[in-house]
Amino acid sequence: LIIITILFLIKWLISYLRRRAYRQTWQYKMLQELCQMQHKLTEFTAQDTAIKLSEIIRRLAMYKSSRIDCAGLVGKVWLQWLGQNDNYKFDWEKYGQILIESSYAPPNKANISLQELSKLIEATKKWVV
């Protein structure tokens, strides 16, 4: 009984330390930020969320690939690059127009679909993992 208890405590301690270490990683922090963005998504915050999401995707792409490969890409070429380098084959060209257009739209005048923006956030979460 004592040995079983000790083994259980060791297993619990290892599990706790792994969870704690994961919470210190950039992936965990990025996923938390994306979840908060998705949770707070409303018609009023949609444009700001799209702009912030665009920045996050750019940072992720530079982290996963290299700065030289993707930092200078803009517009359709940027969306095509995302589509080619996405392991989950998300249709960035179809849904990613929001990322390109929202930055240049007047404040609160961008017509952004919350459902499409939510799909973009979900696709970005997959890039983090």
Side-chain angles (χ1 to χ4, degrees), residues 1-16:
L1 188 61
I2 293 174
I3 293 173
I4 292 173
T5 305
I6 290 172
L7 290 175
F8 177 76
L9 289 174
I10 290 172
K11 182 177 170 38
W12 178 83
L13 181 64
I14 290 171
S15 175
Y16 170 76

Side-chain angles (χ1 to χ4, degrees), residues 11-91:
K11 182 177 170 38
W12 178 83
L13 181 64
I14 290 171
S15 175
Y16 170 76
L17 292 174
R18 282 186 180 169
R19 279 193 312 266
R20 185 173 167 210
Y22 176 68
R23 288 185 181 138
Q24 301 298 321
T25 64
W26 67 269
Q27 290 101 333
Y28 178 78
K29 293 173 185 173
M30 186 71 66
L31 285 173
Q32 290 298 107
E33 187 175 355
L34 289 168
C35 286
Q36 286 179 357
M37 287 171 60
Q38 198 168 26
H39 182 69
K40 294 179 181 179
L41 186 60
T42 65
E43 292 178 13
F44 302 110
T45 63
Q47 187 173 9
D48 292 333
T49 301
I51 293 169
K52 179 78 173 162
L53 183 62
S54 180
E55 294 170 5
I56 288 173
I57 292 171
R58 181 75 65 168
R59 281 189 287 154
L60 278 171
M62 285 189 287
Y63 180 79
K64 295 264 185 181
S65 184
S66 72
R67 186 179 219 51
I68 295 169
D69 289 344
C70 59
L73 301 176
V74 293
K76 268 208 176 297
V77 177
W78 167 239
L79 296 178
Q80 289 170 351
W81 186 91
L82 285 172
Q84 292 168 355
N85 291 284
D86 187 0
N87 294 335
Y88 296 97
K89 303 300 179 201
F90 181 75
D91 191 356

